[in-house]
Amino acid sequence: MAEPLIPDTMTALPRDESGQTFAEPWQAQVFALTVRLSQAGYFTWTEWVDYFSAAVAADKDRAQADHGAAYFLQWLAALERIVDAKGLASTQELLERKAAWKDAAHNTPFGEPIELRRVSAQG
Amino acid sequence: MAHRHTAPPSDTALRVKALESLLVEKGLVDPKALDEVIDTYENKVGPRNGAKVVARAWVNPDYKARLLDDGTAAIAELGFSGVQGEDMVVIENKPKVHNLLVCTLCSCYPWPTLGLPPVWYKAAPYRARAVSDPRGVLKEFGVTLADDVEVRVWDSTAELRYMVLPERPGGTDGMSEAELAALVTRDAMIGTAKVAAP
């Protein structure tokens, strides 16, 4: 049995009446990526839960502050780790790709879709 | 500034875009399949599946026996099964036993029957307090149990998902299976509510 993460003096439990699951589109995307990779056999769901529960445990403080956003941030951190560990996409590749997207966003005129081919114009 | 740029995406959104674009580019995931997963979990799976299972068990004693004996197989009879092939165990509420589900590690949940977990189920306070103070948690959800009712807490894992078979409320004799299913709430199948009489 796991140790309780917080003392009993906790205030009222968060409730949701709407049943809303994904607050932002990126949350649905990380969820779907994980399910598909597992279905395709790149890792088992048990392996995934090991990574995810480790990310949750490593992030206790934020989990208490803002549980809704924390959950999928922990999910994202775990997914980045498991794709690196399984050789699907390395941490280095992810960092480079993220920088490329940032650059593309910066070079995209207002109102147009951001695409990777919009590389920096300088030089 | 010479011209306006599109508002920069958040750091988080960039990380997700990096993951998705790399994995798609490498042929590890199909973008269409991603949309299907999201659509399935947002629109097709959900607590209604679980409610149908509960209603069938209420009207059909043979089905109920199979459900309690082998939840995975009995739930599959109605066409519901998990994407991860997880085993489902159904536990029955009785007059003197109330069952409550939690995942202390993260948020393991009976997806095939209940869809995606609600916000509070994933939150640290629920994960901790469902174990340390289940009666207090139930009270906050509006469920007050007599002192002689035993509370059993079930901690889900990656391989094993629990679902509560709630008690059939009084005043429902003669109701059809579909009418009964309409009474069953998600929370009743997690154990944080009872099924109210119509």
Side-chain angles (χ1 to χ4, degrees), chain A residues 48-63:
Chain A
W48 162 251
V49 168
D50 286 342
Y51 276 82
F52 181 48
S53 56
V56 172
D59 195 29
K60 266 193 253 183
D61 295 340
R62 182 163 59 191

Side-chain angles (χ1 to χ4, degrees), chain B residues 118-133:
Chain B
V119 171
W120 52 262
Y121 186 87
K122 302 180 291 197
Y126 180 78
R127 301 203 322 269
R129 288 191 46 222
V131 175
S132 65
D133 178 25

Side-chain angles (χ1 to χ4, degrees), chain A residues 1-2 4-8 10-16 19-22 26 28-33 35-40 42 45-46 49 52-53 56-57 60 63-64 67-68 71-73 75-77 79-80 83 87-90 93-94 97-98 101-102 105-112 114 116, chain B residues 3-30 33-35 37-38 41-42 83-84 104-108 111 116-129 131-133 136-137 140-142 153 155 157-159 161 186-187:
Chain A
M1 186 78 67
L5 299 176
I6 50 160
D8 285 354
M10 184 58 211
T11 52
L13 295 165
R15 303 290 297 271
D16 74 326
Q20 186 185 23
T21 324
F22 303 117
W26 68 264
Q29 282 160 343
V30 290
F31 168 79
L33 280 170
V35 169
R36 283 301 300 160
L37 287 173
S38 177
Q39 282 178 329
Y42 294 109
W45 201 254
T46 307
V49 168
F52 181 48
S53 56
V56 172
K60 266 193 253 183
Q64 284 172 238
H67 53 86
Y71 178 78
F72 279 107
L73 285 172
W75 189 296
L76 171 59
L79 184 57
E80 287 171 335
V83 298
L88 306 176
S90 72
E93 281 179 293
L94 288 173
R97 179 56 62 95
K98 183 184 138 189
W101 276 114
K102 196 173 181 178
H106 182 75
N107 288 288
T108 299
F110 179 77
E112 290 183 27
I114 300 170
L116 265 186
Chain B
H3 59 97
R4 294 169 77 193
H5 291 291
T6 296
S10 70
D11 186 69
T12 302
L14 286 170
R15 282 164 67 192
V16 176
K17 259 190 144 356
L19 263 172
E20 187 176 9
S21 62
L22 267 174
L23 294 170
V24 167
E25 202 172 284
K26 291 177 178 214
L28 301 173
V29 289
D30 170 5
L34 294 179
D35 292 341
V37 170
I38 295 168
Y41 277 95
E42 287 218 300
V83 280
Q84 293 92 29
T104 54
L105 269 183
C106 43
S107 58
C108 296
W111 292 4
L116 290 165
V119 171
W120 52 262
Y121 186 87
K122 302 180 291 197
Y126 180 78
R127 301 203 322 269
R129 288 191 46 222
V131 175
S132 65
D133 178 25
V137 166
E140 283 180 38
F141 275 91
V153 179
D155 194 353
T157 66
E159 294 93 356
R161 313 295 170 93
R186 175 194 69 198
D187 289 6

Side-chain angles (χ1 to χ4, degrees), chain B residues 3-173:
Chain B
H3 59 97
R4 294 169 77 193
H5 291 291
T6 296
S10 70
D11 186 69
T12 302
L14 286 170
R15 282 164 67 192
V16 176
K17 259 190 144 356
L19 263 172
E20 187 176 9
S21 62
L22 267 174
L23 294 170
V24 167
E25 202 172 284
K26 291 177 178 214
L28 301 173
V29 289
D30 170 5
K32 236 177 77 191
L34 294 179
D35 292 341
E36 277 165 24
V37 170
I38 295 168
D39 182 52
T40 298
Y41 277 95
E42 287 218 300
N43 303 316
K44 293 182 188 138
V45 183
R48 295 330 322 152
N49 287 1
K52 287 178 195 158
V53 170
V54 169
R56 175 69 55 89
W58 282 347
V59 299
N60 183 332
D62 290 340
Y63 182 77
K64 180 178 163 183
R66 289 201 298 282
L67 183 66
L68 296 175
D69 179 53
D70 182 348
T72 312
I75 288 165
E77 281 180 40
L78 299 193
F80 313 134
S81 56
V83 280
Q84 293 92 29
E86 58 272 29
D87 277 330
M88 295 280 302
V89 172
V90 179
I91 42 180
E92 184 184 12
N93 276 353
K94 294 177 178 170
K96 297 293 174 197
V97 180
H98 185 89
N99 297 288
L100 181 66
L101 310 187
V102 66
C103 172
T104 54
L105 269 183
C106 43
S107 58
C108 296
Y109 189 72
W111 292 4
T113 45
L114 300 190
L116 290 165
V119 171
W120 52 262
Y121 186 87
K122 302 180 291 197
Y126 180 78
R127 301 203 322 269
R129 288 191 46 222
V131 175
S132 65
D133 178 25
R135 281 176 191 275
V137 166
L138 286 169
K139 203 171 272 178
E140 283 180 38
F141 275 91
V143 179
T144 308
L145 299 173
D147 288 344
D148 64 343
V149 174
E150 181 192 347
V151 178
R152 292 182 190 161
V153 179
W154 301 79
D155 194 353
S156 303
T157 66
E159 294 93 356
L160 207 55
R161 313 295 170 93
Y162 299 100
M163 182 179 113
V164 173
L165 174 60
E167 285 179 278
R168 180 171 174 169
T172 56
D173 290 353

